[in-house]
Amino acid sequence: MQYYSTNNKENKVSFKQAILQGLANDKGLFMPEKISRLPETFFKNLSHLSFQEIAFKVARNFIEDEISENELHFIIENSISFEAPIIKLSDDLSILELFHGPTLAFKDFGARFMARTMEYFLKGLNKEITILVATSGDTGSAVANGFLNVEGIKVLVLFPSGKISKIQEKQITTLGNNITAVEVEGTFDDCQRLVKTAFVDENLKSKINLSSANSINIGRLIPQSFYYFESYKQIENKDQKIVYSVPSGNLGNLTAGLFAKEMGLQINKFIAATNKNDVFTKFIGEGKFLPKASVETLSNAMDVGDPSNFARIIDLYKNDHKVISDLIFSKSFSDEETLNKIQYLYDNFKYVIDPHGAVGCLAFDQYKNTINENVSGVVLETAHPAKFINVIEDNLNIIPEIPDRLKSCLNKIGNTIKISNQYKDLKEILQN
Ligand SMILES: *Cc1c(COP(=O)(O)O)cnc(C)c1O
């Protein structure tokens, strides 16, 4: 399967090159040259397939024979190794829990699959790769965990100083080995800019092999489409219209859902739920895409002012605003509304949701108010509430349980390298 750059469809590479390189030479994002519909028999049999069997069939559609069947089975067994259950809260609302992986966020699916796929392609190449990743919180820990001790790969995680939760910071800074945590004096957008600058620095690239693990890497998006199929399988009432609400920042999760729909999955509507970082919501409403500086919110993994996967969505629908806004509803919410929603779900269903999932629920409610029919809604719960325990405990009378896999890193002491938001600082570290 060939992948083209969103900046130039003639600029094509193999899947292997797309995943190892991350970003195209012309700074575009890689897109599969075709997204084929899966056969009818696949959908008929869906309820009999395991999550891993589904993942295999979906991955095959994107990778074709660039990875042998046996190797692909191996990669999936070792990366998609925890469940994605839906929890039914009411007749029209189910929560898709995507936090059962090691770092308690949906990004584990993408990071683990990508790490093992890269490891496979690097085997025998005798090449060392440096992965550069900017994080607004969850990406860093998922990627660092996914690549921990993977041979031939070093990881530098850039995070904005003081702007991620203490737990998130512990998850990134306590791993050691081939993982280096870089604390940037600045915002997430600064971190993302530094990463992008490194990728176009020809002088640097002549010295080291750089790759990206942000959601711009197609290797992270592909596995995120697996759980749309897996959760659809679990929906009881499929006669009604099916709506997925996706808490959105860089729009990677949403894009993966759109890929699933292209493959034939019967999702009628997507909801892009945003916090006060509402660039995409404004685009849906007004047709204009105007990136701006991000603002801090309680759902900090969605504090993104210039969502990178926007380019893929535009490419997928040939820049047709009407088509995009018919398919995707979007709405933005304040921190106050988010906290109220967490309390409401706890009071009414005894369910503790994290701030990102709460924004997803708010947007689903809003969507329901605009239509006159019954729908079946699935809200993606993108992180475990314990990752945002401070937000929840400081503001509400709710105490989330902390899973053991999170407890273990909390007692360790972290290590970071501090830099300014100037590119020269980052370059210096990369060269050493
Ligand atoms: C990364 C993240 C998001 C945003 O996902 P995108 O794919 O960037 O839109 C939402 N919630 C949580 C908890 C996240 O970690």
Side-chain angles (χ1 to χ4, degrees), residues 25 30 66 77 89 145 156 247 267 272 279 289 295 298 303 312 316 344 367 377:
N25 291 333
F30 288 119
E66 275 191 65
E77 271 159 32
L89 292 190
N145 211 283
L156 255 74
I267 298 176
V279 170
F289 184 70
V295 295
L298 297 180
D303 294 353
R312 286 197 168 106
L316 195 57
Y344 174 86
Y367 173 67

Side-chain angles (χ1 to χ4, degrees), residues 65-81:
D65 53 9
E66 275 191 65
I67 300 179
S68 73
E69 288 206 9
N70 279 344
E71 287 286 355
L72 187 58
H73 276 300
F74 181 81
I75 291 169
I76 285 172
E77 271 159 32
N78 286 288
S79 55
I80 311 301
S81 50

Side-chain angles (χ1 to χ4, degrees), residues 238-257:
K238 294 192 179 67
D239 300 333
Q240 290 170 347
K241 282 199 171 162
I242 292 177
V243 180
Y244 272 69
S245 180
V246 187
S248 292
N250 264 322
L251 303 170
N253 226 351
L254 179 67
T255 304

Side-chain angles (χ1 to χ4, degrees), residues 109-139:
F109 287 102
R112 289 164 65 84
F113 180 86
M114 182 178 63
R116 280 154 190 81
T117 306
M118 280 186 167
E119 185 178 31
Y120 165 78
F121 283 130
L122 284 174
K123 239 182 263 161
L125 276 187
N126 216 353
K127 198 169 160 180
E128 183 157 90
I129 283 202
T130 301
I131 304 260
L132 208 50
V133 59
T135 185
S136 57
D138 287 337
T139 302

